[in-house]
Amino acid sequence: TPSAHKAASASRGAPRAALTASGPAVLSGPALKPGLSLKQGQASRAPWRRVAVHASPAVQQYGLVTLTTWLLEEEKAGRTDMDMFALMTSIATACKQISSLVNRAAVANLMGAADAQNASGDEQKKLDVVANELFCAAVANCGRTSITVSEEEEKPVALEAVSGGAYIACFDPIDGSSNLDACISSGSIFGIYTPGECVIEEGDSPETMVDKCLVNVRKPGTDLVAAGYCMYSSHTILVLTLGHGVFGFTLDTTCGEFVLTHRNIRIPDPGQRIYSGNEGNTALWAPELREYLAELKRPSDGSPPYAYRYIGALCPDFHRILLYGGIWVYPPDIKAPQGKARLLYEVAPMSYLAEQAGGVACVGPLADQRVLEVVPEKVHQKSPLFVGSTTEMRKLQAFLRERAEAKAVVAA
């Protein structure tokens, strides 16, 4: 028909779209000199030109990168392997399940205590027990871990792993579970350690061999190959490092996938003037730490005071530091001289994340001992923690060192 003929002839002179490796491109028609035009049905003999065209923001917003895609890209780049891919996707599945349970805890009768204590002597909540089972099943079923350590289990558990995948997975299924009944943020923390070696001597009994291999989990943070946490709050976010930066993935409940929303997270330095810690226990702290808090509230140099932010759970308090900067102080006190957080599966993984994000995490009287270099003496060993932006941590160290030197002069 005439209309069809016109449409066909018009299409011959119109730009044609094509897909390239870098995105869509356009094959443009020949340029016309001013005053000239192509008659209907007339074809040009001029060559076609390839012009790159970038996707508009409206198109780019749908190009989501899921955790699965990101892990495959990391494996392709040689920064991880398929064993870690299998382990991380299994942990992500457990986090999705726990997120759903947290959201439904009130209606599913999962609130309150479970009338039991965990290996650290803390009262177990119902969700602690369920979340522990989910995490244990996830890492066991993927076949890439040889040993698991959980806050809710008294002893490490040996697993059968496939050849080449024998990581040690340590985790706190739900950190801050006491907050759940009040609908306050909580989270799951995990650390993945290298397998290491199990030294067995001639004449060791089977029981001794098993014990020696299980105590192999007492590793310093320098042996971590991956760490992260999943926080359950207004949304669920999985923060992860494989030793090459820190990345955040938000759970999209419409498709059930963790989607990359935070690329290469860096702790702001200098960040916001924020400090966090349990001020209710300051009377039990060392005098120099009480003086340090007083300095933050009323700086001697006349600068504005620091803002106080505290939730009472490691995941959300650390997450704020990760995004905004500042400092989090969790020192030993008279009642807990060794601290309260567990070194192997809470303090070390968070310290690894902090360092990967450009921050500092330390322990010790002068807050100058690197957490990742501490070797646990016990599986469920507790530890204090000072963590924050580099600038704020250096200020704390300088303050404590100055007070220690002044104290030494007085003593002399």
Side-chain angles (χ1 to χ4, degrees):
T1 63
S3 59
H5 177 71
K6 291 181 180 179
S9 61
S11 66
R12 286 195 290 268
R16 294 182 296 172
L19 292 179
T20 67
S22 59
V26 167
L27 297 177
S28 64
L32 297 178
K33 293 182 180 181
L36 297 180
S37 63
L38 288 176
K39 295 181 180 180
Q40 185 176 20
Q42 179 181 354
S44 170
R45 298 181 182 275
W48 291 86
R49 296 172 300 172
R50 184 178 296 273
V51 180
V53 177
H54 298 287
S56 67
V59 175
Q60 291 178 348
Q61 67 176 326
Y62 296 104
L64 302 179
V65 178
T66 66
L67 174 63
T68 301
T69 303
W70 181 81
L71 287 170
L72 289 173
E73 291 175 351
E74 292 295 294
E75 190 274 335
K76 185 169 60 176
R79 291 188 287 266
T80 189
D81 54 33
M82 292 307 294
D83 290 321
M84 182 61 72
F85 170 85
L87 180 54
M88 285 296 106
T89 52
S90 296
I91 288 176
T93 299
C95 290
K96 293 176 188 177
Q97 293 174 302
I98 294 172
S99 175
S100 176
L101 290 174
V102 168
N103 289 335
R104 297 182 59 253
V107 297
N109 193 29
L110 290 174
M111 308 283 270
D115 297 326
Q117 292 184 334
N118 61 22
S120 301
D122 299 329
E123 181 185 57
Q124 282 184 317
K125 299 294 184 179
K126 292 178 181 178
L127 272 174
D128 284 324
V129 178
V130 177
N132 181 63
E133 293 180 358
L134 291 173
F135 254 97
C136 289
V139 297
N141 293 337
C142 78
R144 266 66 180 184
T145 55
S146 59
I147 300 175
T148 61
V149 178
S150 170
E151 182 185 20
E152 311 304 327
E153 302 286 346
E154 182 178 356
K155 295 182 179 180
V157 178
L159 301 173
E160 184 176 353
V162 298
S163 177
Y167 293 112
I168 297 173
C170 305
F171 46 86
D172 179 358
I174 293 192
D175 168 70
S177 57
S178 59
N179 286 342
L180 292 174
D181 291 357
C183 201
I184 301 175
S185 302
S186 61
S188 302
I189 307 173
F190 59 89
I192 311 300
Y193 293 82
T194 56
E197 296 181 356
C198 180
V199 180
I200 299 175
E201 299 177 0
E202 186 177 355
D204 284 345
S205 65
E207 293 79 10
T208 302
M209 294 180 186
V210 172
D211 289 341
K212 284 187 175 181
C213 290
L214 289 181
V215 298
N216 185 47
V217 304
R218 298 183 309 197
K219 288 177 167 291
T222 50
D223 285 353
L224 280 163
V225 292
Y229 61 88
C230 188
M231 190 171 70
Y232 316 111
S233 185
S234 58
H235 56 274
T236 296
I237 182 169
L238 175 64
V239 179
L240 170 68
T241 180
L242 300 181
H244 305 283
V246 180
F247 298 81
F249 302 83
T250 301
L251 181 61
D252 185 347
T253 56
T254 61
C255 63
E257 292 283 353
F258 278 108
V259 177
L260 179 61
T261 52
H262 299 70
R263 293 178 179 271
N264 197 24
I265 302 173
R266 306 291 292 178
I267 297 178
D269 188 28
Q272 296 184 14
R273 295 169 66 88
I274 295 174
Y275 76 97
S276 183
N278 190 352
E279 285 220 53
N281 289 335
T282 52
L284 307 175
W285 292 3
E288 56 270 22
L289 285 172
R290 294 199 297 270
E291 294 174 11
Y292 170 72
L293 285 195
E295 174 67 19
L296 295 182
K297 297 174 186 177
R298 186 173 295 179
S300 56
D301 60 3
S303 60
Y306 282 60
Y308 177 63
R309 300 288 184 270
Y310 183 63
I311 296 175
L314 180 52
C315 277
D317 281 321
F318 178 85
H319 192 68
R320 185 194 306 107
I321 297 296
L322 188 67
L323 298 185
Y324 301 147
I327 189 169
W328 192 70
V329 292
Y330 198 57
D333 57 41
I334 296 175
K335 289 185 177 180
Q338 302 301 321
K340 293 183 179 180
R342 265 60 65 169
L343 176 60
L344 197 64
Y345 43 82
E346 292 177 338
V347 175
M350 289 304 205
S351 299
Y352 189 47
L353 283 164
E355 289 195 6
Q356 285 293 315
V360 176
C362 293
V363 292
L366 300 180
D368 58 356
Q369 182 182 4
R370 188 182 178 213
V371 169
L372 297 186
E373 295 178 353
V374 178
V375 181
E377 297 178 359
K378 301 177 181 178
V379 173
H380 297 287
Q381 179 173 320
K382 296 182 179 182
S383 172
L385 176 62
F386 301 95
V387 62
S389 66
T390 300
T391 297
E392 294 302 334
M393 284 296 297
R394 297 294 178 250
K395 288 181 180 179
L396 169 63
Q397 293 168 349
F399 185 93
L400 295 178
R401 186 168 53 251
E402 179 182 323
R403 291 298 187 272
E405 291 171 354
K407 186 176 180 180
V409 170
V410 173

